[in-house]
Amino acid sequence: MSLTLRTISREQHLAYIQSLPAASHCQVPAWADVKTEWRSENLGWFDRNDQLVGAGLVLYRQLPKIKRYLAYLPEGPVINWYAPNLDEWMRPMLAHLRNQGAFSVKMGPPVVIRRWDAAAIKSGIQDPDVKRLRDVQATHIEPRAFEVSDRLRKMGWQQGEDGGAGFGDVQPRYVFQVPLANRSLDDVLKGFNQLWRRNIKKAEKAGVEVVQGGYEDLAEWQRLYEITAERDHFRPRPLSYFQRMWSVLNTEDPNRMRLYFARHEGENVAAATMLIVGGHVWYSYGASANHKREVRPSNAMQWRMLRDAYAMGATVYDLRGISDSLDETDHLFGLIQFKVGTGGEAVEYIGEWDFPLNKLLHKALDIYMSRR
């Protein structure tokens, strides 16, 4: 099978994504409009019969002062990663990106290597000798993922430094997912731990209602999000980011992004954004007020979002990044504790990979990034 690669239109790219069961929201054409500080290009792989068989969204970030770029394919490209001839997919991509002025390529193959179910994670948390997820015996291991890693290494790709924290512009290596395929909603609820089920009931009794919002409610979302940022010590994105995200994603597909609020006595006390691509649904950003936590608005909201995902026919509800730390003193531990209560599973991807096309500039970028 000999493959060729060329720039494709956004329409071709979107049609290809829509023909698949799912793909990452970072690989839909409109994601380029969310990330306005990057230049973008849509790539297509074609087989001998000129059929489109793979696609990728590339984001280009220019180096200060020179016309050379870092080419980044977040959670992509969307190709057959298990193909034995993986080099035939990678070679034309690297040649094309080099011609475009890239000095280094970073990509995040959407390839899962390990999964841990909730019971395995809980036993890890209870074991004082276990500090990280990777110290726990995985419930499922994907042997083909090791082959993908080996093939990439042989081609000269380097595995990115894994912070394990899963935040910032670099995509998370560890995520938490609730599988929905071939399960009844009853099964899903039974998978929740007692605390979650109790909190969902508590919210119901207290009269918490969960509603969907629209573009005009993003300012209210921002208010709660900024309260959260102050409480949790992170730098919030501006309102304009979410307005742009809403506009461009929902112009591409009217059901790409949703906004939810949990209300108590007429007051919004929690909010979240949801992203949808095919059968994959993500809880992407969350926010909550500093008060009324006792009425458990976040649990009520997650349960509503999960039910909506299920009603859409989603195969997975993805709670996004987690740290791989199981140490109760770690500041990110609360996050995994909250997510593990849904009875889902921790999922490890093979991480991000770099290909230095110009070793000197690649090294300079490394130094520059480490000082930021």
Side-chain angles (χ1 to χ4, degrees), residues 18-247:
Q18 284 168 337
S19 74
L20 304 172
S24 167
H25 62 270
C26 301
Q27 281 294 306
V28 300
W31 194 249
D33 303 325
V34 176
K35 299 289 170 190
T36 47
E37 68 277 25
W38 301 69
R39 183 166 70 82
S40 68
E41 187 184 13
N42 307 83
L43 298 182
W45 280 258
F46 292 84
D47 66 10
R48 269 204 188 98
N49 307 319
D50 216 34
Q51 278 291 106
L52 184 60
V53 290
L57 173 69
V58 189
L59 302 173
Y60 294 100
R61 173 66 72 83
Q62 192 174 344
L63 265 188
K65 300 192 177 65
I66 55 170
K67 268 208 141 50
R68 299 301 292 277
Y69 303 87
L70 165 68
Y72 182 34
L73 296 98
E75 296 184 8
V78 185
I79 60 171
N80 176 11
W81 284 98
Y82 300 121
N85 61 335
L86 192 57
D87 58 326
E88 286 187 36
W89 293 79
M90 294 289 112
R91 258 202 321 266
M93 179 179 85
L94 290 173
H96 176 86
L97 297 174
R98 190 193 293 270
N99 285 342
Q100 292 286 329
F103 67 88
S104 188
V105 182
K106 182 187 273 300
M107 65 177 182
V111 174
V112 170
I113 194 160
R114 291 183 193 88
R115 296 177 188 271
W116 294 263
D117 64 19
I121 301 165
K122 275 180 208 148
S123 67
I125 290 170
Q126 281 152 9
D127 184 339
D129 296 331
V130 168
K131 292 287 178 238
R132 302 205 159 276
L133 201 48
R134 62 187 78 161
D135 302 335
V136 179
Q137 178 76 43
T139 323
H140 175 78
I141 292 175
E142 176 53 75
R144 293 184 306 170
F146 292 94
E147 290 167 22
V148 174
S149 295
D150 286 346
R151 283 181 191 135
L152 290 173
R153 254 183 227 107
K154 283 194 181 100
M155 287 177 230
W157 287 86
Q158 301 165 3
Q159 201 155 17
E161 276 310 300
D162 165 37
F167 299 104
D169 260 338
V170 174
Q171 302 306 319
R173 179 163 182 175
Y174 295 90
V175 300
F176 202 87
Q177 297 178 346
V178 180
L180 300 177
N182 309 317
R183 296 175 76 193
S184 69
L185 256 186
D186 224 29
D187 282 344
V188 175
L189 185 59
K190 279 193 189 114
F192 281 34
N193 69 14
Q194 263 182 317
L195 183 65
W196 260 86
R197 291 203 300 269
R198 220 175 26 240
N199 286 343
I200 289 167
K201 278 213 175 79
K202 200 181 255 185
E204 224 170 278
K205 269 207 182 98
V208 171
E209 55 165 349
V210 180
V211 297
Q212 267 184 259
Y215 180 88
E216 65 288 350
D217 302 301
L218 285 168
E220 173 63 0
W221 146 263
Q222 190 72 16
R223 181 184 71 80
L224 286 165
Y225 171 63
E226 284 178 10
I227 290 169
T228 309
E230 196 173 321
R231 183 177 67 235
D232 295 347
H233 312 291
F234 65 85
R235 201 163 81 218
R237 292 189 181 276
L239 172 60
S240 57
Y241 181 83
F242 295 102
Q243 288 173 328
R244 184 167 69 242
M245 199 167 162
W246 181 278
S247 304

Side-chain angles (χ1 to χ4, degrees), residues 8-20:
I8 55 174
S9 69
R10 290 178 67 135
E11 292 69 30
Q12 281 173 295
H13 187 170
L14 182 60
Y16 182 72
I17 295 284
Q18 284 168 337
S19 74
L20 304 172

